Amino acid sequence: MSQQNSFIFGRRSTAQLTFLAGIGLVVVFSLVPAVGILVISFTDIRSLPFLPTHWVGLENYRTFFSSAQIAYNVHALKNTFVFAITVTVIQNTLALLIAVLLNQRLRGRNFARAVVFMPTILGVTVIGLIFTLIFNPSGGPAASVWKSFGSSSAFFGDPHLAMALVIAVSVWSGIGVAVVIYLAGLQSIPSELYEVAGIDGASSRQRLRFVTLPLLAPAVTANTLLSIIGALQSYQLIYVLTGPINPATQVLSLAIFTQGFGGAQGGAVQSQGYAAAISMVQFVIVMIVSVATYAYLRRKETAL
């Protein structure tokens, strides 16, 4: 085989050009905006026109950690971790079980796979509208069921129930992608390994524990990282379901949105500079959590 045919794109120059184009897109659409947000976080820029912008240095970061803001921000950060960890654990557990089930030779499994993946193609607004109608306290189906037990609830307006409902909706809306990734991993496992394990007398649970899970470890790592990073940065569904000012579901990403685009809470004046500072704090948190999670899961892959 010639050297020219050893490249996917046919020629070395074409491959290099494609690689440089990809790097250029990353720089333009990721690196430049990130640097811009970092610069903005050191200013007092606001959305009101004709207001002068001043360089304030670390003032926005001091505000974030100040006594006036720390209680609100710590509460938002706690909600963020509760939301991210719970969604990641429940979503991946259910997705793995569903993927194992749908990987069997069952009648109608293709239709079942389509149904499981269907929520993924729905927009956040559509999902929010569906579940807002379902949990409408004035006459939704959930209210009718609640009423049959002689009780009532405000659902997304209930501070004791709102976060649990948002987590459930988030898991439902995102489980399709996780199932697809797990299915791809399961289908790459040679069937001969299960046959050998069966000959050795391994039960279904033992085959899952000693054959499926070790070979599915890369898919578990990918799904866990996607879930936890997405959940740490998520606010759209929370905003649609509970609004921007519900303390029970206030997360750090929603604080960034309200500071940048309206509805600022916690006593701070709306400021894009302060919102940028919060986003940089969030970036550091997401980076630390992602690197730590990746390192832990890679060690577990090696151990398996």
Side-chain angles (χ1 to χ4, degrees):
M1 182 180 295
S2 65
Q3 184 178 3
Q4 178 178 340
N5 293 330
S6 64
F7 293 99
I8 296 176
F9 296 95
R11 299 175 58 186
R12 183 189 297 270
S13 59
T14 305
Q16 291 174 339
L17 183 60
T18 304
F19 179 76
L20 290 176
I23 292 296
L25 290 174
V26 171
V27 170
V28 172
F29 293 104
S30 295
L31 185 59
V32 172
V35 173
I37 290 295
L38 178 62
V39 173
I40 290 173
S41 71
F42 296 113
T43 70
D44 63 353
I45 186 172
R46 289 174 169 82
S47 59
L48 296 176
F50 309 116
L51 284 180
T53 299
H54 304 96
W55 184 268
V56 296
L58 297 175
E59 186 61 32
N60 289 322
Y61 295 93
R62 294 192 190 99
T63 301
F64 181 86
F65 293 104
S66 67
S67 58
Q69 295 292 317
I70 193 64
Y72 172 80
N73 291 327
V74 167
H75 177 71
L77 189 59
K78 183 186 74 172
N79 283 345
T80 301
F81 279 112
V82 169
F83 176 77
I85 294 172
T86 307
V87 167
T88 300
V89 172
I90 295 177
Q91 183 170 288
N92 279 277
T93 302
L94 291 178
L96 179 58
L97 294 176
I98 294 172
V100 170
L101 178 62
L102 295 181
N103 195 47
Q104 308 299 317
R105 294 182 178 178
L106 301 175
R107 187 175 182 180
R109 68 174 181 175
N110 290 334
F111 175 76
R113 290 174 180 177
V115 170
V116 170
F117 188 75
M118 183 184 67
T120 305
I121 67 176
L122 299 177
V124 173
T125 304
V126 175
I127 294 173
L129 178 61
I130 291 172
F131 282 94
T132 299
L133 293 174
I134 292 174
F135 290 99
N136 187 333
S138 301
S144 300
V145 173
W146 229 254
K147 188 176 181 180
S148 66
F149 289 97
S151 182
S152 62
S153 175
F155 298 113
F156 291 115
D158 186 342
H160 302 292
L161 193 59
M163 179 60 82
L165 289 176
V166 169
I167 288 172
V169 175
S170 182
V171 169
W172 177 83
S173 64
I175 199 170
V177 174
V179 170
V180 169
I181 293 175
Y182 282 134
L183 273 173
L186 288 170
Q187 291 173 0
S188 67
I189 299 175
S191 59
E192 292 81 3
L193 295 178
Y194 293 106
E195 294 174 2
V196 171
I199 294 173
D200 290 339
S203 64
S204 298
R205 181 176 298 180
Q206 289 174 327
R207 288 198 294 268
L208 177 65
R209 168 66 182 85
F210 296 105
V211 178
T212 303
L213 290 181
L215 296 177
L216 204 61
V220 173
T221 299
N223 262 334
T224 302
L225 286 174
L226 288 173
S227 297
I228 199 164
I229 293 173
L232 285 172
Q233 298 176 329
S234 176
Y235 75 90
Q236 299 94 330
L237 194 58
I238 298 173
Y239 180 87
V240 172
L241 292 174
T242 65
I245 59 174
N246 190 335
T249 56
Q250 185 67 46
V251 294
L252 207 58
S253 295
L254 192 55
I256 296 171
F257 178 83
T258 55
Q259 277 292 333
F261 300 98
Q265 299 295 305
V269 178
Q270 180 185 343
S271 168
Q272 279 72 45
Y274 181 56
I278 302 176
S279 69
M280 294 309 301
V281 173
Q282 183 193 44
F283 168 76
V284 173
I285 293 172
V286 172
M287 181 180 66
I288 292 173
V289 172
S290 302
V291 171
T293 303
Y294 178 75
Y296 171 76
L297 292 175
R298 289 296 293 176
R299 284 200 302 270
K300 293 295 290 184
E301 284 184 33
T302 304
L304 290 173

